[in-house]
Amino acid sequence: MKHFSKILGLFTLFIITLACNSSNDNFLECVVYEGPLDAIETPFVGTWSLTAIESNQAVDLTDDDEDNPLTDIFVQSSDCENDAVYTFLDSRNYKFEQGLSVQGCTKTVINTGTWKYSTDLLQISNECLNYNLEITLNETEFAFENNVTIVDIEGRTSSAKFTYTYTKN
């Protein structure tokens, strides 16, 4: 279970940082997104819940005494980790919450800031950290990819690409 805890800690970190595709320059300047939303941004307004995490390679993250690697990371994660929700407001403010809707979560996250969206690029700014996230968006879900280092239940380290999918509530 200790290896699973390590990957879950990394999982939380990746969710918090929104799979940052940025350089160190993004830490030097505080950005606050303001102003009215463009028509392309309006569909983003609302609450979005994590509904899937897929890996490009099978990995076994469960401590169930079986060698059963899967590409479905979501089913191998705890309810607390899967309880991840973004709320995007028309005021350009956003909130990310993790582990708040499930009873007994010991690690919870609340992250706030401002946002902007333009064709396939979600820009998030919080506490002077600015992230550019390449996403795919349709009316009911958005997804992004992130390269991660994973440690499976046997302690083997490897690299994988995770795709996180959020569905609009």
Side-chain angles (χ1 to χ4, degrees):
M1 192 64 155
K2 70 180 176 180
H3 295 296
F4 189 56
S5 295
K6 288 179 188 177
I7 186 65
L8 296 180
L10 289 173
F11 171 70
T12 301
L13 177 63
F14 290 122
I15 297 252
I16 293 169
T17 60
L18 301 173
C20 164
N21 293 325
S22 61
S23 68
N24 288 338
D25 294 342
N26 289 348
F27 297 98
L28 302 177
E29 179 182 336
C30 295
V31 174
V32 176
Y33 298 110
E34 317 179 285
L37 299 180
D38 293 333
I40 194 172
E41 295 173 302
T42 305
F44 228 96
V45 173
T47 302
W48 303 77
S49 298
L50 181 66
T51 54
I53 308 169
E54 289 290 326
S55 175
N56 67 339
Q57 68 173 341
V59 62
D60 186 2
L61 298 176
T62 57
D63 191 7
D64 59 3
D65 296 323
E66 290 183 39
D67 186 19
N68 53 350
L70 301 170
T71 58
D72 188 342
I73 302 303
F74 191 82
V75 300
Q76 297 184 75
S77 300
S78 75
D79 290 344
C80 291
E81 277 117 19
N82 290 339
D83 179 35
V85 177
Y86 282 103
T87 303
F88 295 97
L89 303 175
D90 59 7
S91 64
R92 292 207 181 274
N93 291 315
Y94 85 91
K95 182 188 281 187
F96 173 81
E97 299 172 305
Q98 185 176 23
L100 296 177
S101 299
V102 176
Q103 293 287 1
C105 296
T106 57
K107 294 180 182 177
T108 60
V109 174
I110 299 175
N111 185 322
T112 61
T114 60
W115 68 279
K116 179 179 181 176
Y117 175 72
S118 58
T119 309
D120 300 330
L121 184 65
L122 175 61
Q123 296 173 285
I124 299 283
S125 180
N126 68 335
E127 299 181 19
C128 297
L129 299 175
N130 309 309
Y131 305 100
N132 296 315
L133 191 60
E134 292 181 23
I135 66 168
T136 56
L137 172 67
N138 65 40
E139 290 180 15
T140 60
E141 61 185 32
F142 75 89
F144 62 89
E145 294 179 340
N146 188 36
N147 293 317
V148 299
T149 299
I150 52 178
V151 179
D152 70 11
I153 199 66
E154 298 297 322
R156 296 178 296 241
T157 303
S158 61
S159 295
K161 184 177 285 187
F162 284 7
T163 301
Y164 302 87
T165 302
Y166 286 80
T167 302
K168 194 168 192 177
N169 296 346

PDB file of all heavy atoms in Angstrom, residues 63-95:
ATOM      1  N   ASP A  63      -3.238  -2.747  -4.132  1.00  0.00           N
ATOM      2  CA  ASP A  63      -2.607  -3.713  -3.236  1.00  0.00           C
ATOM      3  C   ASP A  63      -3.608  -4.820  -2.939  1.00  0.00           C
ATOM      4  O   ASP A  63      -4.131  -4.931  -1.841  1.00  0.00           O
ATOM      5  CB  ASP A  63      -2.177  -3.002  -1.951  1.00  0.00           C
ATOM      6  CG  ASP A  63      -1.281  -3.862  -1.095  1.00  0.00           C
ATOM      7  OD1 ASP A  63      -0.875  -4.948  -1.546  1.00  0.00           O
ATOM      8  OD2 ASP A  63      -0.989  -3.453   0.044  1.00  0.00           O
ATOM      9  N   ASP A  64      -3.894  -5.643  -3.974  1.00  0.00           N
ATOM     10  CA  ASP A  64      -4.914  -6.680  -3.837  1.00  0.00           C
ATOM     11  C   ASP A  64      -4.348  -8.085  -4.024  1.00  0.00           C
ATOM     12  O   ASP A  64      -5.092  -9.027  -4.256  1.00  0.00           O
ATOM     13  CB  ASP A  64      -6.059  -6.437  -4.824  1.00  0.00           C
ATOM     14  CG  ASP A  64      -5.594  -6.431  -6.269  1.00  0.00           C
ATOM     15  OD1 ASP A  64      -4.397  -6.667  -6.530  1.00  0.00           O
ATOM     16  OD2 ASP A  64      -6.431  -6.173  -7.146  1.00  0.00           O
ATOM     17  N   ASP A  65      -3.022  -8.225  -3.919  1.00  0.00           N
ATOM     18  CA  ASP A  65      -2.338  -9.521  -4.052  1.00  0.00           C
ATOM     19  C   ASP A  65      -2.553 -10.175  -5.408  1.00  0.00           C
ATOM     20  O   ASP A  65      -2.410 -11.385  -5.540  1.00  0.00           O
ATOM     21  CB  ASP A  65      -2.746 -10.480  -2.928  1.00  0.00           C
ATOM     22  CG  ASP A  65      -2.306  -9.974  -1.574  1.00  0.00           C
ATOM     23  OD1 ASP A  65      -1.195  -9.394  -1.493  1.00  0.00           O
ATOM     24  OD2 ASP A  65      -3.060 -10.140  -0.599  1.00  0.00           O
ATOM     25  N   GLU A  66      -2.916  -9.403  -6.413  1.00  0.00           N
ATOM     26  CA  GLU A  66      -3.055  -9.911  -7.776  1.00  0.00           C
ATOM     27  C   GLU A  66      -2.244  -9.034  -8.715  1.00  0.00           C
ATOM     28  O   GLU A  66      -2.170  -7.824  -8.528  1.00  0.00           O
ATOM     29  CB  GLU A  66      -4.523  -9.874  -8.232  1.00  0.00           C
ATOM     30  CG  GLU A  66      -5.425 -10.859  -7.545  1.00  0.00           C
ATOM     31  CD  GLU A  66      -6.829 -10.811  -8.113  1.00  0.00           C
ATOM     32  OE1 GLU A  66      -6.973 -10.660  -9.342  1.00  0.00           O
ATOM     33  OE2 GLU A  66      -7.775 -10.896  -7.319  1.00  0.00           O
ATOM     34  N   ASP A  67      -1.640  -9.666  -9.713  1.00  0.00           N
ATOM     35  CA  ASP A  67      -0.955  -8.913 -10.754  1.00  0.00           C
ATOM     36  C   ASP A  67      -2.005  -8.599 -11.811  1.00  0.00           C
ATOM     37  O   ASP A  67      -2.313  -9.423 -12.660  1.00  0.00           O
ATOM     38  CB  ASP A  67       0.191  -9.735 -11.340  1.00  0.00           C
ATOM     39  CG  ASP A  67       1.021  -8.947 -12.336  1.00  0.00           C
ATOM     40  OD1 ASP A  67       0.957  -7.698 -12.309  1.00  0.00           O
ATOM     41  OD2 ASP A  67       1.729  -9.573 -13.145  1.00  0.00           O
ATOM     42  N   ASN A  68      -2.603  -7.408 -11.720  1.00  0.00           N
ATOM     43  CA  ASN A  68      -3.693  -7.044 -12.624  1.00  0.00           C
ATOM     44  C   ASN A  68      -3.534  -5.603 -13.114  1.00  0.00           C
ATOM     45  O   ASN A  68      -4.308  -4.729 -12.761  1.00  0.00           O
ATOM     46  CB  ASN A  68      -5.053  -7.254 -11.959  1.00  0.00           C
ATOM     47  CG  ASN A  68      -5.167  -6.568 -10.611  1.00  0.00           C
ATOM     48  OD1 ASN A  68      -4.191  -6.072 -10.061  1.00  0.00           O
ATOM     49  ND2 ASN A  68      -6.365  -6.522 -10.067  1.00  0.00           N
ATOM     50  N   PRO A  69      -2.516  -5.386 -13.963  1.00  0.00           N
ATOM     51  CA  PRO A  69      -2.313  -4.033 -14.480  1.00  0.00           C
ATOM     52  C   PRO A  69      -3.458  -3.592 -15.389  1.00  0.00           C
ATOM     53  O   PRO A  69      -3.999  -4.389 -16.150  1.00  0.00           O
ATOM     54  CB  PRO A  69      -0.995  -4.130 -15.251  1.00  0.00           C
ATOM     55  CG  PRO A  69      -0.848  -5.561 -15.582  1.00  0.00           C
ATOM     56  CD  PRO A  69      -1.553  -6.332 -14.500  1.00  0.00           C
ATOM     57  N   LEU A  70      -3.812  -2.319 -15.271  1.00  0.00           N
ATOM     58  CA  LEU A  70      -4.889  -1.730 -16.058  1.00  0.00           C
ATOM     59  C   LEU A  70      -4.446  -0.384 -16.610  1.00  0.00           C
ATOM     60  O   LEU A  70      -3.572   0.274 -16.044  1.00  0.00           O
ATOM     61  CB  LEU A  70      -6.131  -1.504 -15.187  1.00  0.00           C
ATOM     62  CG  LEU A  70      -6.769  -2.700 -14.497  1.00  0.00           C
ATOM     63  CD1 LEU A  70      -7.814  -2.231 -13.511  1.00  0.00           C
ATOM     64  CD2 LEU A  70      -7.365  -3.625 -15.528  1.00  0.00           C
ATOM     65  N   THR A  71      -5.080   0.050 -17.669  1.00  0.00           N
ATOM     66  CA  THR A  71      -4.868   1.413 -18.155  1.00  0.00           C
ATOM     67  C   THR A  71      -5.856   2.385 -17.508  1.00  0.00           C
ATOM     68  O   THR A  71      -5.671   3.588 -17.585  1.00  0.00           O
ATOM     69  CB  THR A  71      -5.008   1.492 -19.693  1.00  0.00           C
ATOM     70  OG1 THR A  71      -6.304   1.030 -20.063  1.00  0.00           O
ATOM     71  CG2 THR A  71      -3.925   0.676 -20.389  1.00  0.00           C
ATOM     72  N   ASP A  72      -6.877   1.854 -16.855  1.00  0.00           N
ATOM     73  CA  ASP A  72      -7.877   2.681 -16.174  1.00  0.00           C
ATOM     74  C   ASP A  72      -7.364   3.020 -14.772  1.00  0.00           C
ATOM     75  O   ASP A  72      -7.461   2.219 -13.842  1.00  0.00           O
ATOM     76  CB  ASP A  72      -9.211   1.939 -16.095  1.00  0.00           C
ATOM     77  CG  ASP A  72     -10.332   2.816 -15.570  1.00  0.00           C
ATOM     78  OD1 ASP A  72     -10.048   3.858 -14.948  1.00  0.00           O
ATOM     79  OD2 ASP A  72     -11.500   2.449 -15.783  1.00  0.00           O
ATOM     80  N   ILE A  73      -6.792   4.198 -14.626  1.00  0.00           N
ATOM     81  CA  ILE A  73      -6.242   4.652 -13.349  1.00  0.00           C
ATOM     82  C   ILE A  73      -7.368   5.062 -12.400  1.00  0.00           C
ATOM     83  O   ILE A  73      -7.271   4.892 -11.187  1.00  0.00           O
ATOM     84  CB  ILE A  73      -5.258   5.823 -13.575  1.00  0.00           C
ATOM     85  CG1 ILE A  73      -4.133   5.398 -14.523  1.00  0.00           C
ATOM     86  CG2 ILE A  73      -4.699   6.335 -12.258  1.00  0.00           C
ATOM     87  CD1 ILE A  73      -3.331   4.195 -14.095  1.00  0.00           C
ATOM     88  N   PHE A  74      -8.465   5.567 -12.943  1.00  0.00           N
ATOM     89  CA  PHE A  74      -9.594   6.030 -12.124  1.00  0.00           C
ATOM     90  C   PHE A  74     -10.123   4.908 -11.239  1.00  0.00           C
ATOM     91  O   PHE A  74     -10.372   5.126 -10.058  1.00  0.00           O
ATOM     92  CB  PHE A  74     -10.700   6.564 -13.047  1.00  0.00           C
ATOM     93  CG  PHE A  74     -11.796   7.309 -12.339  1.00  0.00           C
ATOM     94  CD1 PHE A  74     -11.642   8.633 -11.995  1.00  0.00           C
ATOM     95  CD2 PHE A  74     -13.002   6.688 -12.041  1.00  0.00           C
ATOM     96  CE1 PHE A  74     -12.660   9.340 -11.363  1.00  0.00           C
ATOM     97  CE2 PHE A  74     -14.020   7.377 -11.410  1.00  0.00           C
ATOM     98  CZ  PHE A  74     -13.844   8.703 -11.061  1.00  0.00           C
ATOM     99  N   VAL A  75     -10.284   3.703 -11.781  1.00  0.00           N
ATOM    100  CA  VAL A  75     -10.811   2.593 -10.977  1.00  0.00           C
ATOM    101  C   VAL A  75      -9.814   2.111  -9.940  1.00  0.00           C
ATOM    102  O   VAL A  75     -10.185   1.449  -8.972  1.00  0.00           O
ATOM    103  CB  VAL A  75     -11.302   1.398 -11.833  1.00  0.00           C
ATOM    104  CG1 VAL A  75     -12.413   1.803 -12.762  1.00  0.00           C
ATOM    105  CG2 VAL A  75     -10.165   0.729 -12.572  1.00  0.00           C
ATOM    106  N   GLN A  76      -8.544   2.450 -10.112  1.00  0.00           N
ATOM    107  CA  GLN A  76      -7.516   2.052  -9.159  1.00  0.00           C
ATOM    108  C   GLN A  76      -7.270   3.115  -8.090  1.00  0.00           C
ATOM    109  O   GLN A  76      -6.506   2.903  -7.159  1.00  0.00           O
ATOM    110  CB  GLN A  76      -6.194   1.758  -9.887  1.00  0.00           C
ATOM    111  CG  GLN A  76      -6.286   0.599 -10.856  1.00  0.00           C
ATOM    112  CD  GLN A  76      -4.946   0.300 -11.456  1.00  0.00           C
ATOM    113  OE1 GLN A  76      -4.073  -0.266 -10.803  1.00  0.00           O
ATOM    114  NE2 GLN A  76      -4.767   0.689 -12.714  1.00  0.00           N
ATOM    115  N   SER A  77      -7.904   4.271  -8.229  1.00  0.00           N
ATOM    116  CA  SER A  77      -7.727   5.370  -7.285  1.00  0.00           C
ATOM    117  C   SER A  77      -8.837   5.348  -6.250  1.00  0.00           C
ATOM    118  O   SER A  77      -9.921   4.828  -6.487  1.00  0.00           O
ATOM    119  CB  SER A  77      -7.741   6.706  -8.036  1.00  0.00           C
ATOM    120  OG  SER A  77      -6.709   6.752  -8.987  1.00  0.00           O
ATOM    121  N   SER A  78      -8.569   5.966  -5.107  1.00  0.00           N
ATOM    122  CA  SER A  78      -9.566   5.996  -4.037  1.00  0.00           C
ATOM    123  C   SER A  78     -10.670   7.001  -4.356  1.00  0.00           C
ATOM    124  O   SER A  78     -10.499   7.900  -5.191  1.00  0.00           O
ATOM    125  CB  SER A  78      -8.907   6.369  -2.703  1.00  0.00           C
ATOM    126  OG  SER A  78      -8.611   7.750  -2.674  1.00  0.00           O
ATOM    127  N   ASP A  79     -11.786   6.874  -3.659  1.00  0.00           N
ATOM    128  CA  ASP A  79     -12.878   7.829  -3.817  1.00  0.00           C
ATOM    129  C   ASP A  79     -12.421   9.248  -3.490  1.00  0.00           C
ATOM    130  O   ASP A  79     -12.872  10.206  -4.115  1.00  0.00           O
ATOM    131  CB  ASP A  79     -14.064   7.449  -2.924  1.00  0.00           C
ATOM    132  CG  ASP A  79     -14.777   6.198  -3.399  1.00  0.00           C
ATOM    133  OD1 ASP A  79     -14.571   5.793  -4.560  1.00  0.00           O
ATOM    134  OD2 ASP A  79     -15.540   5.619  -2.603  1.00  0.00           O
ATOM    135  N   CYS A  80     -11.514   9.380  -2.514  1.00  0.00           N
ATOM    136  CA  CYS A  80     -11.025  10.710  -2.138  1.00  0.00           C
ATOM    137  C   CYS A  80     -10.244  11.354  -3.276  1.00  0.00           C
ATOM    138  O   CYS A  80     -10.392  12.550  -3.544  1.00  0.00           O
ATOM    139  CB  CYS A  80     -10.157  10.621  -0.885  1.00  0.00           C
ATOM    140  SG  CYS A  80     -11.096  10.195   0.599  1.00  0.00           S
ATOM    141  N   GLU A  81      -9.397  10.589  -3.952  1.00  0.00           N
ATOM    142  CA  GLU A  81      -8.640  11.141  -5.069  1.00  0.00           C
ATOM    143  C   GLU A  81      -9.535  11.429  -6.269  1.00  0.00           C
ATOM    144  O   GLU A  81      -9.321  12.400  -6.980  1.00  0.00           O
ATOM    145  CB  GLU A  81      -7.521  10.204  -5.493  1.00  0.00           C
ATOM    146  CG  GLU A  81      -6.291  10.347  -4.650  1.00  0.00           C
ATOM    147  CD  GLU A  81      -5.991   9.082  -3.904  1.00  0.00           C
ATOM    148  OE1 GLU A  81      -6.477   8.012  -4.277  1.00  0.00           O
ATOM    149  OE2 GLU A  81      -5.247   9.182  -2.923  1.00  0.00           O
ATOM    150  N   ASN A  82     -10.519  10.592  -6.487  1.00  0.00           N
ATOM    151  CA  ASN A  82     -11.420  10.777  -7.625  1.00  0.00           C
ATOM    152  C   ASN A  82     -12.432  11.891  -7.394  1.00  0.00           C
ATOM    153  O   ASN A  82     -13.085  12.334  -8.333  1.00  0.00           O
ATOM    154  CB  ASN A  82     -12.142   9.473  -7.955  1.00  0.00           C
ATOM    155  CG  ASN A  82     -11.197   8.446  -8.547  1.00  0.00           C
ATOM    156  OD1 ASN A  82     -10.132   8.769  -9.059  1.00  0.00           O
ATOM    157  ND2 ASN A  82     -11.586   7.185  -8.464  1.00  0.00           N
ATOM    158  N   ASP A  83     -12.553  12.358  -6.169  1.00  0.00           N
ATOM    159  CA  ASP A  83     -13.458  13.457  -5.844  1.00  0.00           C
ATOM    160  C   ASP A  83     -12.750  14.779  -6.145  1.00  0.00           C
ATOM    161  O   ASP A  83     -12.280  15.478  -5.268  1.00  0.00           O
ATOM    162  CB  ASP A  83     -13.870  13.382  -4.371  1.00  0.00           C
ATOM    163  CG  ASP A  83     -14.781  14.520  -3.974  1.00  0.00           C
ATOM    164  OD1 ASP A  83     -15.606  14.954  -4.800  1.00  0.00           O
ATOM    165  OD2 ASP A  83     -14.661  14.996  -2.823  1.00  0.00           O
ATOM    166  N   ALA A  84     -12.640  15.088  -7.437  1.00  0.00           N
ATOM    167  CA  ALA A  84     -11.964  16.299  -7.893  1.00  0.00           C
ATOM    168  C   ALA A  84     -12.932  17.099  -8.759  1.00  0.00           C
ATOM    169  O   ALA A  84     -13.488  16.576  -9.716  1.00  0.00           O
ATOM    170  CB  ALA A  84     -10.713  15.937  -8.693  1.00  0.00           C
ATOM    171  N   VAL A  85     -13.141  18.364  -8.398  1.00  0.00           N
ATOM    172  CA  VAL A  85     -14.162  19.184  -9.045  1.00  0.00           C
ATOM    173  C   VAL A  85     -13.615  20.580  -9.334  1.00  0.00           C
ATOM    174  O   VAL A  85     -13.019  21.218  -8.460  1.00  0.00           O
ATOM    175  CB  VAL A  85     -15.414  19.313  -8.138  1.00  0.00           C
ATOM    176  CG1 VAL A  85     -16.451  20.225  -8.763  1.00  0.00           C
ATOM    177  CG2 VAL A  85     -15.993  17.946  -7.826  1.00  0.00           C
ATOM    178  N   TYR A  86     -13.814  21.026 -10.563  1.00  0.00           N
ATOM    179  CA  TYR A  86     -13.538  22.409 -10.953  1.00  0.00           C
ATOM    180  C   TYR A  86     -14.863  23.145 -11.068  1.00  0.00           C
ATOM    181  O   TYR A  86     -15.821  22.620 -11.628  1.00  0.00           O
ATOM    182  CB  TYR A  86     -12.873  22.483 -12.332  1.00  0.00           C
ATOM    183  CG  TYR A  86     -11.422  22.152 -12.352  1.00  0.00           C
ATOM    184  CD1 TYR A  86     -10.992  20.918 -12.814  1.00  0.00           C
ATOM    185  CD2 TYR A  86     -10.476  23.075 -11.924  1.00  0.00           C
ATOM    186  CE1 TYR A  86      -9.642  20.608 -12.844  1.00  0.00           C
ATOM    187  CE2 TYR A  86      -9.131  22.774 -11.947  1.00  0.00           C
ATOM    188  CZ  TYR A  86      -8.716  21.536 -12.415  1.00  0.00           C
ATOM    189  OH  TYR A  86      -7.392  21.239 -12.443  1.00  0.00           O
ATOM    190  N   THR A  87     -14.893  24.386 -10.600  1.00  0.00           N
ATOM    191  CA  THR A  87     -16.021  25.283 -10.827  1.00  0.00           C
ATOM    192  C   THR A  87     -15.475  26.536 -11.495  1.00  0.00           C
ATOM    193  O   THR A  87     -14.619  27.224 -10.925  1.00  0.00           O
ATOM    194  CB  THR A  87     -16.737  25.635  -9.509  1.00  0.00           C
ATOM    195  OG1 THR A  87     -17.159  24.429  -8.877  1.00  0.00           O
ATOM    196  CG2 THR A  87     -17.938  26.529  -9.770  1.00  0.00           C
ATOM    197  N   PHE A  88     -15.934  26.789 -12.720  1.00  0.00           N
ATOM    198  CA  PHE A  88     -15.529  27.964 -13.478  1.00  0.00           C
ATOM    199  C   PHE A  88     -16.694  28.940 -13.495  1.00  0.00           C
ATOM    200  O   PHE A  88     -17.792  28.595 -13.923  1.00  0.00           O
ATOM    201  CB  PHE A  88     -15.137  27.585 -14.911  1.00  0.00           C
ATOM    202  CG  PHE A  88     -13.926  26.701 -14.983  1.00  0.00           C
ATOM    203  CD1 PHE A  88     -14.067  25.322 -15.094  1.00  0.00           C
ATOM    204  CD2 PHE A  88     -12.651  27.241 -14.932  1.00  0.00           C
ATOM    205  CE1 PHE A  88     -12.949  24.502 -15.160  1.00  0.00           C
ATOM    206  CE2 PHE A  88     -11.533  26.431 -14.996  1.00  0.00           C
ATOM    207  CZ  PHE A  88     -11.676  25.050 -15.106  1.00  0.00           C
ATOM    208  N   LEU A  89     -16.465  30.164 -13.021  1.00  0.00           N
ATOM    209  CA  LEU A  89     -17.516  31.180 -12.934  1.00  0.00           C
ATOM    210  C   LEU A  89     -17.411  32.173 -14.077  1.00  0.00           C
ATOM    211  O   LEU A  89     -16.321  32.386 -14.631  1.00  0.00           O
ATOM    212  CB  LEU A  89     -17.424  31.916 -11.599  1.00  0.00           C
ATOM    213  CG  LEU A  89     -17.510  31.034 -10.346  1.00  0.00           C
ATOM    214  CD1 LEU A  89     -17.285  31.866  -9.093  1.00  0.00           C
ATOM    215  CD2 LEU A  89     -18.840  30.305 -10.300  1.00  0.00           C
ATOM    216  N   ASP A  90     -18.524  32.826 -14.406  1.00  0.00           N
ATOM    217  CA  ASP A  90     -18.502  33.829 -15.466  1.00  0.00           C
ATOM    218  C   ASP A  90     -17.753  35.089 -15.052  1.00  0.00           C
ATOM    219  O   ASP A  90     -17.457  35.947 -15.876  1.00  0.00           O
ATOM    220  CB  ASP A  90     -19.899  34.140 -15.997  1.00  0.00           C
ATOM    221  CG  ASP A  90     -20.844  34.654 -14.937  1.00  0.00           C
ATOM    222  OD1 ASP A  90     -20.420  34.910 -13.791  1.00  0.00           O
ATOM    223  OD2 ASP A  90     -22.033  34.806 -15.261  1.00  0.00           O
ATOM    224  N   SER A  91     -17.381  35.201 -13.797  1.00  0.00           N
ATOM    225  CA  SER A  91     -16.556  36.317 -13.306  1.00  0.00           C
ATOM    226  C   SER A  91     -15.069  36.080 -13.578  1.00  0.00           C
ATOM    227  O   SER A  91     -14.244  36.899 -13.215  1.00  0.00           O
ATOM    228  CB  SER A  91     -16.765  36.489 -11.801  1.00  0.00           C
ATOM    229  OG  SER A  91     -16.300  35.330 -11.117  1.00  0.00           O
ATOM    230  N   ARG A  92     -14.734  34.936 -14.199  1.00  0.00           N
ATOM    231  CA  ARG A  92     -13.374  34.472 -14.486  1.00  0.00           C
ATOM    232  C   ARG A  92     -12.688  33.871 -13.262  1.00  0.00           C
ATOM    233  O   ARG A  92     -11.523  33.517 -13.312  1.00  0.00           O
ATOM    234  CB  ARG A  92     -12.486  35.551 -15.101  1.00  0.00           C
ATOM    235  CG  ARG A  92     -12.896  35.942 -16.488  1.00  0.00           C
ATOM    236  CD  ARG A  92     -11.723  36.461 -17.287  1.00  0.00           C
ATOM    237  NE  ARG A  92     -12.163  36.845 -18.605  1.00  0.00           N
ATOM    238  CZ  ARG A  92     -12.263  36.004 -19.630  1.00  0.00           C
ATOM    239  NH1 ARG A  92     -11.947  34.754 -19.476  1.00  0.00           N
ATOM    240  NH2 ARG A  92     -12.693  36.429 -20.798  1.00  0.00           N
ATOM    241  N   ASN A  93     -13.379  33.762 -12.145  1.00  0.00           N
ATOM    242  CA  ASN A  93     -12.826  33.060 -10.996  1.00  0.00           C
ATOM    243  C   ASN A  93     -13.065  31.566 -11.164  1.00  0.00           C
ATOM    244  O   ASN A  93     -14.010  31.152 -11.827  1.00  0.00           O
ATOM    245  CB  ASN A  93     -13.475  33.545  -9.694  1.00  0.00           C
ATOM    246  CG  ASN A  93     -13.073  34.959  -9.368  1.00  0.00           C
ATOM    247  OD1 ASN A  93     -11.909  35.320  -9.452  1.00  0.00           O
ATOM    248  ND2 ASN A  93     -14.045  35.772  -8.994  1.00  0.00           N
ATOM    249  N   TYR A  94     -12.196  30.767 -10.576  1.00  0.00           N
ATOM    250  CA  TYR A  94     -12.401  29.320 -10.568  1.00  0.00           C
ATOM    251  C   TYR A  94     -12.039  28.785  -9.191  1.00  0.00           C
ATOM    252  O   TYR A  94     -11.334  29.430  -8.405  1.00  0.00           O
ATOM    253  CB  TYR A  94     -11.561  28.605 -11.645  1.00  0.00           C
ATOM    254  CG  TYR A  94     -10.156  28.289 -11.200  1.00  0.00           C
ATOM    255  CD1 TYR A  94      -9.852  27.073 -10.583  1.00  0.00           C
ATOM    256  CD2 TYR A  94      -9.137  29.197 -11.361  1.00  0.00           C
ATOM    257  CE1 TYR A  94      -8.576  26.802 -10.144  1.00  0.00           C
ATOM    258  CE2 TYR A  94      -7.862  28.934 -10.933  1.00  0.00           C
ATOM    259  CZ  TYR A  94      -7.577  27.740 -10.319  1.00  0.00           C
ATOM    260  OH  TYR A  94      -6.315  27.472  -9.872  1.00  0.00           O
ATOM    261  N   LYS A  95     -12.548  27.596  -8.919  1.00  0.00           N
ATOM    262  CA  LYS A  95     -12.209  26.882  -7.690  1.00  0.00           C
ATOM    263  C   LYS A  95     -11.995  25.424  -8.050  1.00  0.00           C
ATOM    264  O   LYS A  95     -12.756  24.849  -8.819  1.00  0.00           O
ATOM    265  CB  LYS A  95     -13.333  26.993  -6.668  1.00  0.00           C
ATOM    266  CG  LYS A  95     -13.016  26.292  -5.334  1.00  0.00           C
ATOM    267  CD  LYS A  95     -14.203  26.250  -4.392  1.00  0.00           C
ATOM    268  CE  LYS A  95     -14.363  27.581  -3.720  1.00  0.00           C
ATOM    269  NZ  LYS A  95     -15.399  27.536  -2.666  1.00  0.00           N
TER     270      LYS A  95
END
